[in-house]
Amino acid sequence: GTKRALVIGINYRGIRGELSGCHNDAKNMIAFLKKEYGFQDQHITVLMDDDDPAHGSPTKANILAAFETLVKLSEPGDALVVHYAGHGGKVKDVSGDEDDGFDETMIPLDFQTAGQILDDDIFMTLIHPLKEGVHLTCVIDCCHSGTILDLPFTFLGDGKQTEMTCGKGARAFPHMEKIRKKKFWKEWKPMIMAGGAPLWGGPL
């Protein structure tokens, strides 16, 4: 299959809360994917708030559109990687599908005008539409990222937990139940790693 990647790095230049390392994180991830796993430039989409004309702007609309494009282009046997480095947040849940009462969010470059990207939107745009046999690995480097993909199963690397567990929200709410019933669930074995880096996928 084809190896495809979406790499997002946002430093929020000139904005309060500006970061300094997310561009480097994105560049390092690209170099890693190319060197270690043979990803090719033509199959790597980059969204960064830098001066490179080859990079798209990491706005809310562009990030969601990139999710949609990645999913639409994928076919069974493909290996996908999504890397996000930037700010993360949480907002009050209004749909009733969060155990803690908050939706986790990605903070796009234009958050002040376009708003944040809810975990519900990430799930419905990136996770749920995937075809069977497509492997997706997500590395989400931001605050509040532990459940930002709204996966029904989690694994806490605390030295005590030995297998994935299913939160009550995964049983109670339809969008999580859809994933629990997918045939490829056992094949993919999604998990949430320690350190706030959610992974969804199998071997590259």
Side-chain angles (χ1 to χ4, degrees), residues 101-115:
F102 291 92
D103 281 312
E104 289 69 42
T105 67
M106 289 180 178
I107 311 294
L109 180 63
D110 59 344
F111 68 94
Q112 293 170 316
T113 55

Side-chain angles (χ1 to χ4, degrees), residues 98 100 102 104 119 144-151 154 192 198:
E98 296 286 348
D100 64 356
F102 291 92
E104 289 69 42
D119 51 8
H144 308 290
S145 63
T147 58
I148 202 169
L149 298 184
D150 264 358
L151 301 180
T154 61
I192 296 182

Side-chain angles (χ1 to χ4, degrees), residues 2 4 42-43 45 66-76 78 80 130-131 134:
T2 304
R4 305 180 188 277
Q42 63 265 36
H43 295 140
T45 299
F67 288 163
E68 292 179 355
T69 299
L70 188 68
V71 170
K72 288 178 180 178
L73 290 176
S74 65
E75 297 293 341
D78 287 356
L80 313 181
L130 282 175
K131 303 178 182 73
V134 177

